[in-house]
Amino acid sequence: MPLSARRRLAAACALAALIVPTGCEQVRSKIAPPQFEPPKITLDVGRRVESELGMVVSIDEAASRAGAWILAEGGNAVDAAIATAFALAVTHPQAGNIGGGGFMIIHTPEGEVDAVDYRETAPLAFDHDVFLDERGGLDRRKRSDPFLLVGVPGTIAGLHLAHEKYGSRSWNVLLQPAIDLAQKGFVVPPLLAADVYANREKLAMHPATRNLFFDAQGRPIEAGTRLVQPELASVLRAVATEGPDVFYTGWIAKAVAQHVENNGGLLRANDFARYDAKWRKPIRTEIATGELYGMPPPSSGGVAVPQILGILAGYQLGAIDPVGPIVAHITAEAMRRAFRDRAHYLGDPDFSAIPVADLLNQKHIDSMRESIDLARATKSGTLWPEPVPAGGTETTHFSVIDRNGMAVSNTTTLEQQFGGGIIVGGLGFLLNNELGDFNAKAGMTDARGNIGTAANLPDSSKRPLSSMTPSIFSRNGKVEVITGSPGGRTIINTVAQVLFRRILLGQEPTQCVWAPRMHHQWFPDQLVLERDRWPEQTIEQLKQRGHTIVYRDRLGSAQSIFRDEYNKFIGVGDRRRDGWAAAPNIILPAGYYVNKPKK
Ligand code: DON
């Protein structure tokens, strides 16, 4: 396809993703189901799907189908989440991964809530000065060196940890959809083609990555072609049959470490051997007669989202236009204050004490609210003098619930789209560049808005602070909302806005996900609005209050599930980035096809 046609295709995709449909009807997929789906099982697939038998909503149709298929065979939400996560590693290499990390929140039907931290860790050889030159100044080349930024991937350890405790089906069976998608290939969706094109320079720099995403003439992969990944299939097959050890202490760890070392990075095989995914206690806050569960540090959303919602809950906003100037102004001010706290206090809890309880104390939240002037935007510089950096552009979130009400909220990332672009020859998967999430230099601030607070400085075996915010809201132990998003720092505000609309304003699920979004992160001191989505009058009044407005085409991609008043699950795929909901419409006897119960 010539360049101009490819550009037109990318533009058409972006446009299609932004068009918000007027109706809320169930949309049946017209795309042929992937090959792993056994005959006779039919799934409901669409942007908005209703079901009582469970639901998976993810960024990719094949991955949502993979999880829904596991549900259809009687697997539980954790089983389905594992299948979806591995499928995403094949079909959504922008962010789905086995070379990255993330967070998972699990809510059992009995109301127990657990969280898995499978964030990447820094190598042993990391220290505070890793991004500095000999004179102690920031070395921008080091700061963006993809080999230096590779952290020990946590995904396989994290999924396995969740499986050990909650899985009901054999581990190897849960990888089968992903293995089939890698081995037999899948039809490249327009989103993947557009993203490969947008990242073509980074991806073409690494030989194994170039071989995967470009043809012999050097042209990026096109939508509608088949992408077959035999090397990734072999890695997945090894993980399926041998378990995580082959990844952390076997040939896979050795091959990654060797490649990184050959290219000047610090990651070594013993860093893999020392990696542990961790159980964490979710942050629980009470709001709107329910309970909100979020991820504790090293994520920051579990603190920031309840702060934002706590500030908003103190106003009587029910009767006011949610896209009018008052709600928009207050929301922006709440975000500004939550991000001030985030920048100052949050980091890896295994390295410094994080005052989570103080940050969520009602008195603190009330004082944040009281400092808001309804008529004027607060200048961020008067709240705290240090600026913070802007967020990145790729991560992925998926939500799962099974028919018994067990729920999984999972966000995973390689940091940037396709991570640093590195695929190790023979392994077929992309490595993360997550360690760029550390602050670059102690005390450093600059015009681009870097920050140098101690809690998130690089250190040996430390986890960088994250904005990923998988969240679950329940009432009386029954899950009502599962949500999360990609979008760097915008994640926190996307999640806060979905939850705000559902639990404080009581809006219809589709509206909660598709309504226009905004973002304020304290510094840069500007209010980001989704382009062409906000009423002119609101924008005018925000400007009059003193907000500096900037526009972005889209904010976030919140693949979410809601429970309605009739106990029906409503899956809403966020069409900003091609989200798909999939639900089983039949539950088969366990092991009907290949889905063997766990021994
Ligand atoms: O963990 C974090 O906060 C980032 N590494 C996430 C990156 C991200 O979301 C980029 N964008 N979509």
Side-chain angles (χ1 to χ4, degrees):
M1 195 192 290
L3 202 72
S4 57
R6 216 175 291 133
R7 286 224 178 90
R8 276 201 303 278
L9 174 68
C13 296
L15 195 68
L18 280 173
I19 297 170
V20 175
T22 47
C24 304
E25 76 285 2
Q26 195 136 316
V27 188
R28 277 277 188 170
S29 166
K30 297 204 171 51
I31 301 173
Q35 299 171 16
F36 62 80
E37 187 179 325
K40 293 191 197 147
I41 290 182
T42 48
L43 306 175
D44 286 331
V45 179
R47 298 288 184 200
R48 182 189 192 279
V49 171
E50 295 184 4
S51 169
E52 285 155 2
L53 297 179
M55 184 78 64
V56 180
V57 188
S58 84
I59 185 69
D60 180 75
E61 185 184 349
S64 294
R65 284 180 182 273
W69 169 58
I70 297 294
L71 292 179
E73 287 208 15
N76 67 24
V78 169
D79 297 322
I82 293 167
T84 304
F86 278 114
L88 283 169
V90 178
T91 58
H92 189 67
Q94 299 98 309
N97 66 79
I98 55 173
F103 302 116
M104 177 186 283
I105 299 191
I106 300 163
H107 192 301
T108 70
E110 295 75 36
E112 300 294 316
V113 191
D114 250 339
V116 185
D117 167 356
Y118 60 98
R119 184 74 163 159
E120 300 90 331
T121 57
L124 269 170
F126 248 50
D127 61 24
H128 280 11
D129 299 341
V130 68
F131 300 124
L132 306 186
D133 58 26
E134 310 78 57
R135 295 193 310 279
L138 178 66
D139 184 331
R140 294 194 187 280
R141 193 193 48 79
K142 287 186 184 166
R143 182 67 175 156
S144 58
D145 175 353
F147 289 100
L148 196 57
L149 296 182
V150 186
V152 184
T155 300
I156 289 173
L159 298 177
H160 197 259
L161 193 66
H163 182 258
E164 277 176 340
K165 184 161 176 189
Y166 292 108
S168 76
R169 293 292 184 266
S170 305
W171 170 253
N172 61 340
V173 162
L174 300 179
L175 275 93
Q176 197 56 45
I179 294 170
D180 286 356
L181 284 162
Q183 187 65 47
K184 298 174 190 163
F186 64 97
V187 177
V188 172
L191 181 67
L192 175 54
D195 285 343
V196 167
Y197 183 73
N199 287 276
R200 61 195 180 284
E201 280 174 26
K202 171 169 83 175
L203 298 176
M205 276 168 55
H206 304 278
T209 317
R210 193 168 55 232
N211 286 344
L212 185 61
F213 292 122
F214 298 78
D215 67 14
Q217 284 71 45
R219 287 178 304 221
I221 192 160
E222 291 181 2
T225 54
R226 182 165 284 274
L227 182 60
V228 182
Q229 303 177 78
E231 292 175 345
L232 178 56
S234 317
V235 166
L236 290 170
R237 221 175 276 117
V239 172
T241 51
E242 297 170 53
D245 282 355
V246 67
F247 190 86
Y248 288 97
T249 55
W251 56 274
I252 301 174
K254 290 189 183 104
V256 174
Q258 193 60 58
H259 186 68
V260 171
E261 183 174 358
N262 291 347
N263 288 281
L266 297 174
L267 189 67
R268 299 290 179 268
N270 64 341
D271 291 311
F272 275 78
R274 296 172 73 248
Y275 185 82
D276 270 328
K278 298 184 183 197
W279 290 110
R280 302 256 186 215
K281 190 170 179 320
I283 292 181
R284 176 187 188 279
T285 42
E286 290 177 9
I287 187 149
T289 68
E291 313 89 43
L292 178 61
Y293 294 96
M295 197 66 213
S299 174
S300 50
V303 172
V305 167
Q307 283 188 328
I308 294 168
L309 294 176
I311 293 171
L312 294 172
Y315 298 97
Q316 300 294 320
L317 296 177
I320 308 181
D321 178 5
V323 292
I326 303 281
V327 175
H329 172 69
I330 295 170
T331 307
E333 292 301 321
M335 292 171 174
R336 185 198 305 278
R337 283 156 178 78
F339 272 85
R340 181 243 352 235
D341 282 2
R342 174 191 189 278
H344 192 55
Y345 294 109
L346 302 183
D348 185 342
D350 296 342
F351 280 70
S352 48
I354 313 284
V356 172
D358 294 341
L359 295 172
L360 293 173
N361 182 295
Q362 190 61 43
K363 277 208 187 97
H364 177 62
I365 290 176
D366 290 344
S367 82
M368 292 166 100
R369 186 185 317 105
E370 281 154 19
S371 71
I372 294 175
D373 180 343
L374 289 182
R376 295 294 307 161
T378 310
K379 293 282 165 239
S380 287
T382 65
L383 286 177
W384 189 265
E386 279 187 347
V388 292
T393 54
E394 193 55 58
T395 290
T396 193
H397 175 84
F398 63 82
S399 300
V400 183
I401 196 156
D402 65 27
R403 66 191 195 285
N404 298 317
M406 182 183 218
V408 172
S409 186
N410 188 93
T411 312
T412 183
T413 190
L414 290 164
E415 164 50 5
Q416 293 176 323
Q417 266 193 356
F418 305 98
I422 303 167
I423 291 180
V424 178
L427 298 188
F429 66 90
L430 283 151
L431 297 175
N432 69 83
N433 56 354
E434 211 70 58
L435 305 184
D437 277 357
F438 283 121
N439 295 344
K441 181 176 174 224
M444 189 193 83
T445 57
D446 68 18
R448 284 174 54 235
N450 294 294
I451 186 162
T453 48
N456 191 36
L457 283 175
D459 212 337
S460 173
S461 305
K462 187 174 176 178
R463 297 176 184 215
L465 180 64
S466 173
S467 297
M468 290 188 286
T469 310
S471 302
I472 295 182
F473 176 75
S474 61
R475 279 199 178 98
N476 304 319
K478 210 158 155 187
V479 172
E480 292 195 4
V481 186
I482 312 164
T483 192
S485 176
R489 280 161 209 237
T490 72
I491 292 172
I492 291 170
N493 291 330
T494 291
V495 170
Q497 287 166 95
V498 171
L499 291 169
F500 171 54
R501 287 173 176 277
R502 185 62 177 169
I503 67 184
L504 293 181
L505 302 184
Q507 290 189 331
E508 199 279 330
T510 322
Q511 185 65 12
C512 297
V513 173
W514 291 343
R517 294 196 188 120
M518 63 188 322
H519 170 70
H520 199 299
Q521 60 173 43
W522 182 42
F523 278 104
D525 190 350
Q526 61 192 22
L527 179 56
V528 185
L529 298 182
E530 284 188 318
R531 198 188 309 283
D532 298 332
R533 307 251 358 243
W534 286 84
E536 272 309 313
Q537 203 194 353
T538 301
I539 297 173
E540 244 348 278
Q541 293 202 26
L542 287 168
K543 285 181 182 164
Q544 279 168 21
R545 282 178 164 81
H547 291 281
T548 302
I549 307 285
V550 298
Y551 298 96
R552 213 177 279 177
D553 287 339
R554 56 161 195 272
L555 289 168
S557 175
Q559 316 307 338
S560 309
I561 299 174
F562 304 82
R563 189 198 289 261
D564 73 7
E565 62 271 39
Y566 309 108
N567 270 330
K568 203 176 261 183
F569 305 126
I570 299 173
V572 182
D574 193 335
R575 49 191 306 151
R576 288 173 180 82
R577 288 254 323 144
D578 207 22
W580 289 96
N585 54 29
I586 183 171
I587 302 287
L588 297 162
Y592 191 81
Y593 287 105
V594 291
N595 189 3
K596 297 191 201 75
K598 198 161 136 186
K599 300 225 173 67

